[in-house]
mmCIF file of all heavy atoms in Angstrom:
data_model
loop_
_atom_site.group_PDB
_atom_site.id
_atom_site.type_symbol
_atom_site.label_atom_id
_atom_site.label_comp_id
_atom_site.label_asym_id
_atom_site.label_seq_id
_atom_site.Cartn_x
_atom_site.Cartn_y
_atom_site.Cartn_z
ATOM 1 N N LEU A 1 8.996 0.982 -9.140
ATOM 2 C CA LEU A 1 8.954 0.230 -10.383
ATOM 3 C C LEU A 1 9.607 0.972 -11.531
ATOM 4 O O LEU A 1 9.770 2.201 -11.470
ATOM 5 C CB LEU A 1 7.485 -0.086 -10.722
ATOM 6 C CG LEU A 1 6.664 -0.905 -9.717
ATOM 7 C CD1 LEU A 1 5.308 -1.288 -10.305
ATOM 8 C CD2 LEU A 1 7.430 -2.225 -9.362
ATOM 9 N N ALA A 2 10.020 0.281 -12.536
ATOM 10 C CA ALA A 2 10.683 0.873 -13.710
ATOM 11 C C ALA A 2 9.782 1.906 -14.326
ATOM 12 O O ALA A 2 8.579 1.735 -14.497
ATOM 13 C CB ALA A 2 11.034 -0.206 -14.710
ATOM 14 N N GLY A 3 10.440 3.039 -14.746
ATOM 15 C CA GLY A 3 9.736 4.111 -15.407
ATOM 16 C C GLY A 3 9.010 5.037 -14.455
ATOM 17 O O GLY A 3 8.301 5.979 -14.920
ATOM 18 N N VAL A 4 9.133 4.866 -13.165
ATOM 19 C CA VAL A 4 8.486 5.707 -12.184
ATOM 20 C C VAL A 4 9.565 6.523 -11.487
ATOM 21 O O VAL A 4 10.534 5.925 -11.023
ATOM 22 C CB VAL A 4 7.697 4.891 -11.192
ATOM 23 C CG1 VAL A 4 7.050 5.798 -10.125
ATOM 24 C CG2 VAL A 4 6.580 4.124 -11.900
ATOM 25 N N ASP A 5 9.328 7.818 -11.367
ATOM 26 C CA ASP A 5 10.247 8.657 -10.616
ATOM 27 C C ASP A 5 10.169 8.300 -9.126
ATOM 28 O O ASP A 5 9.077 8.165 -8.568
ATOM 29 C CB ASP A 5 9.896 10.119 -10.838
ATOM 30 C CG ASP A 5 10.773 11.059 -10.005
ATOM 31 O OD1 ASP A 5 11.979 11.088 -10.289
ATOM 32 O OD2 ASP A 5 10.274 11.622 -9.021
ATOM 33 N N SER A 6 11.314 8.095 -8.499
ATOM 34 C CA SER A 6 11.351 7.590 -7.103
ATOM 35 C C SER A 6 10.662 8.526 -6.171
ATOM 36 O O SER A 6 10.001 8.167 -5.230
ATOM 37 C CB SER A 6 12.790 7.327 -6.692
ATOM 38 O OG SER A 6 13.569 8.531 -6.783
ATOM 39 N N PHE A 7 10.837 9.866 -6.400
ATOM 40 C CA PHE A 7 10.233 10.841 -5.489
ATOM 41 C C PHE A 7 8.728 10.843 -5.624
ATOM 42 O O PHE A 7 7.983 11.175 -4.718
ATOM 43 C CB PHE A 7 10.809 12.204 -5.739
ATOM 44 C CG PHE A 7 10.411 13.191 -4.650
ATOM 45 C CD1 PHE A 7 11.005 13.100 -3.371
ATOM 46 C CD2 PHE A 7 9.481 14.157 -4.890
ATOM 47 C CE1 PHE A 7 10.654 13.974 -2.386
ATOM 48 C CE2 PHE A 7 9.114 15.051 -3.866
ATOM 49 C CZ PHE A 7 9.718 14.981 -2.606
ATOM 50 N N ARG A 8 8.212 10.453 -6.832
ATOM 51 C CA ARG A 8 6.778 10.349 -7.019
ATOM 52 C C ARG A 8 6.192 9.337 -6.114
ATOM 53 O O ARG A 8 5.124 9.509 -5.561
ATOM 54 C CB ARG A 8 6.548 10.037 -8.491
ATOM 55 C CG ARG A 8 5.079 10.010 -8.889
ATOM 56 C CD ARG A 8 4.950 9.730 -10.375
ATOM 57 N NE ARG A 8 3.525 9.623 -10.796
ATOM 58 C CZ ARG A 8 3.192 9.243 -12.052
ATOM 59 N NH1 ARG A 8 4.103 8.938 -12.956
ATOM 60 N NH2 ARG A 8 1.913 9.173 -12.357
ATOM 61 N N LEU A 9 6.870 8.215 -6.005
ATOM 62 C CA LEU A 9 6.433 7.136 -5.110
ATOM 63 C C LEU A 9 6.488 7.597 -3.659
ATOM 64 O O LEU A 9 5.569 7.390 -2.854
ATOM 65 C CB LEU A 9 7.329 5.879 -5.274
ATOM 66 C CG LEU A 9 7.183 4.775 -4.212
ATOM 67 C CD1 LEU A 9 5.675 4.220 -4.218
ATOM 68 C CD2 LEU A 9 8.167 3.652 -4.441
ATOM 69 N N VAL A 10 7.605 8.259 -3.263
ATOM 70 C CA VAL A 10 7.773 8.715 -1.896
ATOM 71 C C VAL A 10 6.640 9.707 -1.553
ATOM 72 O O VAL A 10 6.048 9.620 -0.450
ATOM 73 C CB VAL A 10 9.135 9.377 -1.725
ATOM 74 C CG1 VAL A 10 9.234 10.121 -0.381
ATOM 75 C CG2 VAL A 10 10.289 8.416 -1.883
ATOM 76 N N ARG A 11 6.353 10.669 -2.459
ATOM 77 C CA ARG A 11 5.328 11.624 -2.234
ATOM 78 C C ARG A 11 3.910 11.005 -2.095
ATOM 79 O O ARG A 11 3.170 11.361 -1.214
ATOM 80 C CB ARG A 11 5.333 12.673 -3.379
ATOM 81 C CG ARG A 11 4.353 13.827 -3.200
ATOM 82 C CD ARG A 11 4.565 14.819 -4.254
ATOM 83 N NE ARG A 11 4.365 14.202 -5.584
ATOM 84 C CZ ARG A 11 4.887 14.723 -6.723
ATOM 85 N NH1 ARG A 11 5.523 15.786 -6.688
ATOM 86 N NH2 ARG A 11 4.666 14.077 -7.860
ATOM 87 N N ALA A 12 3.650 10.051 -2.939
ATOM 88 C CA ALA A 12 2.321 9.399 -2.896
ATOM 89 C C ALA A 12 2.180 8.554 -1.627
ATOM 90 O O ALA A 12 1.096 8.521 -0.965
ATOM 91 C CB ALA A 12 2.135 8.493 -4.131
ATOM 92 N N ALA A 13 3.260 7.848 -1.221
ATOM 93 C CA ALA A 13 3.175 7.064 -0.023
ATOM 94 C C ALA A 13 2.996 7.907 1.200
ATOM 95 O O ALA A 13 2.183 7.601 2.120
ATOM 96 C CB ALA A 13 4.515 6.282 0.095
ATOM 97 N N ALA A 14 3.695 9.063 1.296
ATOM 98 C CA ALA A 14 3.519 9.942 2.408
ATOM 99 C C ALA A 14 2.156 10.583 2.469
ATOM 100 O O ALA A 14 1.523 10.726 3.546
ATOM 101 C CB ALA A 14 4.618 11.036 2.359
ATOM 102 N N ALA A 15 1.617 10.976 1.259
ATOM 103 C CA ALA A 15 0.314 11.586 1.247
ATOM 104 C C ALA A 15 -0.769 10.617 1.705
ATOM 105 O O ALA A 15 -1.707 10.990 2.464
ATOM 106 C CB ALA A 15 -0.025 12.082 -0.174
ATOM 107 N N SER A 16 -0.687 9.346 1.305
ATOM 108 C CA SER A 16 -1.694 8.370 1.684
ATOM 109 C C SER A 16 -1.564 7.970 3.157
ATOM 110 O O SER A 16 -2.445 7.324 3.701
ATOM 111 C CB SER A 16 -1.561 7.121 0.779
ATOM 112 O OG SER A 16 -0.303 6.518 0.951
ATOM 113 N N SER A 17 -0.456 8.373 3.826
ATOM 114 C CA SER A 17 -0.225 7.979 5.199
ATOM 115 C C SER A 17 -0.261 9.144 6.178
ATOM 116 O O SER A 17 -0.144 8.972 7.370
ATOM 117 C CB SER A 17 1.149 7.302 5.326
ATOM 118 O OG SER A 17 1.261 6.189 4.501
ATOM 119 N N ALA A 18 -0.456 10.356 5.603
ATOM 120 C CA ALA A 18 -0.394 11.546 6.469
ATOM 121 C C ALA A 18 -1.404 11.561 7.552
ATOM 122 O O ALA A 18 -1.183 12.024 8.625
ATOM 123 C CB ALA A 18 -0.546 12.792 5.555
ATOM 124 N N SER A 19 -2.596 10.933 7.299
ATOM 125 C CA SER A 19 -3.631 10.921 8.325
ATOM 126 C C SER A 19 -3.814 9.547 8.948
ATOM 127 O O SER A 19 -4.806 9.270 9.591
ATOM 128 C CB SER A 19 -4.987 11.359 7.638
ATOM 129 O OG SER A 19 -4.901 12.650 7.144
ATOM 130 N N ASP A 20 -2.779 8.678 8.719
ATOM 131 C CA ASP A 20 -2.803 7.317 9.287
ATOM 132 C C ASP A 20 -2.205 7.382 10.687
ATOM 133 O O ASP A 20 -0.997 7.635 10.811
ATOM 134 C CB ASP A 20 -2.022 6.391 8.369
ATOM 135 C CG ASP A 20 -2.144 4.940 8.780
ATOM 136 O OD1 ASP A 20 -2.638 4.713 9.924
ATOM 137 O OD2 ASP A 20 -1.725 4.054 8.003
ATOM 138 N N PRO A 21 -2.945 7.189 11.793
ATOM 139 C CA PRO A 21 -2.400 7.279 13.141
ATOM 140 C C PRO A 21 -1.657 6.035 13.599
ATOM 141 O O PRO A 21 -1.077 6.054 14.687
ATOM 142 C CB PRO A 21 -3.672 7.497 13.998
ATOM 143 C CG PRO A 21 -4.715 6.713 13.245
ATOM 144 C CD PRO A 21 -4.385 6.841 11.787
ATOM 145 N N THR A 22 -1.661 4.963 12.836
ATOM 146 C CA THR A 22 -0.972 3.701 13.279
ATOM 147 C C THR A 22 0.488 3.928 13.218
ATOM 148 O O THR A 22 1.079 4.719 12.451
ATOM 149 C CB THR A 22 -1.413 2.596 12.340
ATOM 150 O OG1 THR A 22 -0.881 2.791 11.030
ATOM 151 C CG2 THR A 22 -2.863 2.403 12.307
ATOM 152 N N PRO A 23 1.245 3.074 14.012
ATOM 153 C CA PRO A 23 2.724 3.152 13.992
ATOM 154 C C PRO A 23 3.243 2.896 12.598
ATOM 155 O O PRO A 23 4.274 3.507 12.178
ATOM 156 C CB PRO A 23 3.128 2.038 14.915
ATOM 157 C CG PRO A 23 1.944 1.896 15.893
ATOM 158 C CD PRO A 23 0.797 2.131 15.036
ATOM 159 N N GLU A 24 2.606 2.051 11.763
ATOM 160 C CA GLU A 24 3.048 1.804 10.397
ATOM 161 C C GLU A 24 2.901 3.046 9.554
ATOM 162 O O GLU A 24 3.853 3.390 8.823
ATOM 163 C CB GLU A 24 2.255 0.647 9.780
ATOM 164 C CG GLU A 24 2.470 -0.706 10.397
ATOM 165 C CD GLU A 24 1.561 -0.952 11.591
ATOM 166 O OE1 GLU A 24 0.932 -0.007 12.065
ATOM 167 O OE2 GLU A 24 1.494 -2.114 12.018
ATOM 168 N N GLY A 25 1.755 3.691 9.636
ATOM 169 C CA GLY A 25 1.541 4.935 8.888
ATOM 170 C C GLY A 25 2.540 5.990 9.246
ATOM 171 O O GLY A 25 3.070 6.695 8.398
ATOM 172 N N LYS A 26 2.791 6.208 10.561
ATOM 173 C CA LYS A 26 3.806 7.176 11.012
ATOM 174 C C LYS A 26 5.162 6.831 10.481
ATOM 175 O O LYS A 26 5.935 7.743 10.107
ATOM 176 C CB LYS A 26 3.735 7.219 12.501
ATOM 177 C CG LYS A 26 2.467 7.763 13.117
ATOM 178 C CD LYS A 26 2.451 7.764 14.636
ATOM 179 C CE LYS A 26 1.161 8.304 15.183
ATOM 180 N NZ LYS A 26 1.104 8.201 16.686
ATOM 181 N N SER A 27 5.510 5.531 10.503
ATOM 182 C CA SER A 27 6.835 5.156 10.041
ATOM 183 C C SER A 27 7.030 5.429 8.492
ATOM 184 O O SER A 27 8.157 5.779 8.120
ATOM 185 C CB SER A 27 7.122 3.710 10.330
ATOM 186 O OG SER A 27 6.386 2.824 9.475
ATOM 187 N N ILE A 28 5.927 5.352 7.753
ATOM 188 C CA ILE A 28 6.004 5.638 6.274
ATOM 189 C C ILE A 28 6.298 7.127 6.123
ATOM 190 O O ILE A 28 7.137 7.520 5.282
ATOM 191 C CB ILE A 28 4.695 5.206 5.620
ATOM 192 C CG1 ILE A 28 4.583 3.694 5.632
ATOM 193 C CG2 ILE A 28 4.667 5.753 4.176
ATOM 194 C CD1 ILE A 28 3.257 3.177 5.107
ATOM 195 N N VAL A 29 5.614 7.957 6.869
ATOM 196 C CA VAL A 29 5.843 9.442 6.777
ATOM 197 C C VAL A 29 7.248 9.787 7.193
ATOM 198 O O VAL A 29 7.921 10.565 6.537
ATOM 199 C CB VAL A 29 4.809 10.210 7.593
ATOM 200 C CG1 VAL A 29 5.090 11.671 7.622
ATOM 201 C CG2 VAL A 29 3.418 9.938 7.112
ATOM 202 N N GLU A 30 7.732 9.161 8.256
ATOM 203 C CA GLU A 30 9.098 9.395 8.725
ATOM 204 C C GLU A 30 10.131 8.965 7.711
ATOM 205 O O GLU A 30 11.141 9.709 7.489
ATOM 206 C CB GLU A 30 9.342 8.657 10.068
ATOM 207 C CG GLU A 30 8.558 9.253 11.241
ATOM 208 C CD GLU A 30 8.601 8.367 12.476
ATOM 209 O OE1 GLU A 30 9.288 7.278 12.396
ATOM 210 O OE2 GLU A 30 8.046 8.762 13.488
ATOM 211 N N LEU A 31 9.911 7.815 7.056
ATOM 212 C CA LEU A 31 10.851 7.396 6.044
ATOM 213 C C LEU A 31 10.796 8.327 4.818
ATOM 214 O O LEU A 31 11.841 8.650 4.226
ATOM 215 C CB LEU A 31 10.539 5.970 5.611
ATOM 216 C CG LEU A 31 11.426 5.328 4.541
ATOM 217 C CD1 LEU A 31 12.858 5.256 5.051
ATOM 218 C CD2 LEU A 31 10.944 3.950 4.138
ATOM 219 N N ALA A 32 9.574 8.790 4.481
ATOM 220 C CA ALA A 32 9.509 9.708 3.370
ATOM 221 C C ALA A 32 10.177 11.041 3.652
ATOM 222 O O ALA A 32 10.863 11.620 2.775
ATOM 223 C CB ALA A 32 7.973 9.988 3.072
ATOM 224 N N GLU A 33 10.073 11.525 4.883
ATOM 225 C CA GLU A 33 10.740 12.735 5.277
ATOM 226 C C GLU A 33 12.243 12.548 5.228
ATOM 227 O O GLU A 33 12.975 13.505 4.853
ATOM 228 C CB GLU A 33 10.319 13.209 6.657
ATOM 229 C CG GLU A 33 8.857 13.667 6.714
ATOM 230 C CD GLU A 33 8.362 13.998 8.130
ATOM 231 O OE1 GLU A 33 9.100 13.598 9.065
ATOM 232 O OE2 GLU A 33 7.294 14.584 8.279
ATOM 233 N N ALA A 34 12.712 11.366 5.580
ATOM 234 C CA ALA A 34 14.138 11.084 5.498
ATOM 235 C C ALA A 34 14.625 11.054 4.002
ATOM 236 O O ALA A 34 15.792 11.344 3.749
ATOM 237 C CB ALA A 34 14.447 9.712 6.094
ATOM 238 N N GLU A 35 13.655 10.848 3.100
ATOM 239 C CA GLU A 35 13.924 10.853 1.662
ATOM 240 C C GLU A 35 13.777 12.219 1.040
ATOM 241 O O GLU A 35 13.925 12.396 -0.143
ATOM 242 C CB GLU A 35 13.036 9.846 0.916
ATOM 243 C CG GLU A 35 13.203 8.393 1.351
ATOM 244 C CD GLU A 35 14.425 7.732 0.691
ATOM 245 O OE1 GLU A 35 14.932 8.336 -0.288
ATOM 246 O OE2 GLU A 35 14.790 6.691 1.161
ATOM 247 N N GLY A 36 13.436 13.262 1.880
ATOM 248 C CA GLY A 36 13.323 14.626 1.370
ATOM 249 C C GLY A 36 11.963 15.099 1.204
ATOM 250 O O GLY A 36 11.756 16.263 0.744
ATOM 251 N N TYR A 37 10.938 14.322 1.591
ATOM 252 C CA TYR A 37 9.548 14.786 1.429
ATOM 253 C C TYR A 37 9.171 15.715 2.575
ATOM 254 O O TYR A 37 9.605 15.574 3.716
ATOM 255 C CB TYR A 37 8.658 13.566 1.397
ATOM 256 C CG TYR A 37 7.145 13.917 1.611
ATOM 257 C CD1 TYR A 37 6.403 14.336 0.486
ATOM 258 C CD2 TYR A 37 6.549 13.942 2.856
ATOM 259 C CE1 TYR A 37 5.028 14.637 0.630
ATOM 260 C CE2 TYR A 37 5.207 14.206 2.992
ATOM 261 C CZ TYR A 37 4.460 14.567 1.888
ATOM 262 O OH TYR A 37 3.086 14.926 2.030
ATOM 263 N N SER A 38 8.361 16.733 2.220
ATOM 264 C CA SER A 38 7.702 17.568 3.239
ATOM 265 C C SER A 38 6.319 17.940 2.681
ATOM 266 O O SER A 38 6.082 17.932 1.453
ATOM 267 C CB SER A 38 8.522 18.871 3.476
ATOM 268 O OG SER A 38 8.508 19.714 2.336
ATOM 269 N N PRO A 39 5.362 18.202 3.571
ATOM 270 C CA PRO A 39 3.997 18.507 3.097
ATOM 271 C C PRO A 39 3.942 19.584 2.040
ATOM 272 O O PRO A 39 3.069 19.547 1.140
ATOM 273 C CB PRO A 39 3.254 18.904 4.400
ATOM 274 C CG PRO A 39 4.026 18.207 5.451
ATOM 275 C CD PRO A 39 5.446 18.247 4.996
ATOM 276 N N SER A 40 4.830 20.542 2.043
ATOM 277 C CA SER A 40 4.790 21.634 1.100
ATOM 278 C C SER A 40 5.120 21.184 -0.314
ATOM 279 O O SER A 40 4.792 21.848 -1.305
ATOM 280 C CB SER A 40 5.781 22.727 1.525
ATOM 281 O OG SER A 40 7.089 22.227 1.562
ATOM 282 N N THR A 41 5.784 20.038 -0.429
ATOM 283 C CA THR A 41 6.114 19.568 -1.793
ATOM 284 C C THR A 41 4.995 18.835 -2.419
ATOM 285 O O THR A 41 5.093 18.429 -3.590
ATOM 286 C CB THR A 41 7.377 18.623 -1.739
ATOM 287 O OG1 THR A 41 6.978 17.430 -0.961
ATOM 288 C CG2 THR A 41 8.517 19.260 -1.069
ATOM 289 N N ASN A 42 3.898 18.623 -1.731
ATOM 290 C CA ASN A 42 2.762 17.876 -2.253
ATOM 291 C C ASN A 42 1.777 18.902 -2.953
ATOM 292 O O ASN A 42 1.018 19.549 -2.266
ATOM 293 C CB ASN A 42 2.074 17.121 -1.135
ATOM 294 C CG ASN A 42 1.081 16.117 -1.723
ATOM 295 O OD1 ASN A 42 1.302 15.508 -2.755
ATOM 296 N ND2 ASN A 42 -0.056 15.954 -1.019
ATOM 297 N N SER A 43 1.871 18.974 -4.270
ATOM 298 C CA SER A 43 1.062 19.931 -5.007
ATOM 299 C C SER A 43 -0.365 19.482 -5.064
ATOM 300 O O SER A 43 -0.695 18.346 -4.981
ATOM 301 C CB SER A 43 1.671 20.148 -6.383
ATOM 302 O OG SER A 43 1.628 18.892 -7.094
ATOM 303 N N GLY A 44 -1.212 20.425 -5.346
ATOM 304 C CA GLY A 44 -2.649 20.088 -5.509
ATOM 305 C C GLY A 44 -3.470 20.713 -4.408
ATOM 306 O O GLY A 44 -2.971 21.215 -3.402
ATOM 307 N N THR A 45 -4.724 20.604 -4.560
ATOM 308 C CA THR A 45 -5.641 21.145 -3.527
ATOM 309 C C THR A 45 -5.753 20.230 -2.348
ATOM 310 O O THR A 45 -5.291 19.088 -2.387
ATOM 311 C CB THR A 45 -7.045 21.370 -4.155
ATOM 312 O OG1 THR A 45 -7.515 20.082 -4.659
ATOM 313 C CG2 THR A 45 -6.944 22.361 -5.331
ATOM 314 N N GLU A 46 -6.453 20.741 -1.346
ATOM 315 C CA GLU A 46 -6.671 19.957 -0.156
ATOM 316 C C GLU A 46 -7.414 18.655 -0.498
ATOM 317 O O GLU A 46 -8.402 18.649 -1.241
ATOM 318 C CB GLU A 46 -7.471 20.741 0.886
ATOM 319 C CG GLU A 46 -7.570 20.084 2.225
ATOM 320 C CD GLU A 46 -6.251 20.107 2.987
ATOM 321 O OE1 GLU A 46 -5.379 20.971 2.611
ATOM 322 O OE2 GLU A 46 -6.070 19.317 3.869
ATOM 323 N N GLY A 47 -6.945 17.523 0.087
ATOM 324 C CA GLY A 47 -7.576 16.263 -0.191
ATOM 325 C C GLY A 47 -8.473 15.747 0.864
ATOM 326 O O GLY A 47 -8.448 16.184 1.965
#
């Protein structure tokens, strides 16, 4: 959406799908990784 950093969306989508075992959840993480996301880029404490 307008005014939102694109990588912020990618990071949030990947974080919310990291523990999702479904094929959809895995595909979100894979797409995020293709966009440059990795678990180390997700700042903050353990969720």
Side-chain angles (χ1 to χ4, degrees):
L1 297 187
V4 177
D5 179 65
S6 60
F7 192 73
R8 184 179 177 185
L9 169 63
V10 171
R11 185 174 55 201
S16 62
S17 304
S19 299
D20 187 347
T22 65
E24 292 88 347
K26 293 177 181 177
S27 72
I28 293 172
V29 174
E30 290 171 359
L31 181 61
E33 291 176 348
E35 297 280 346
Y37 167 83
S38 66
S40 61
T41 64
N42 193 35
S43 60
T45 58
E46 188 71 20

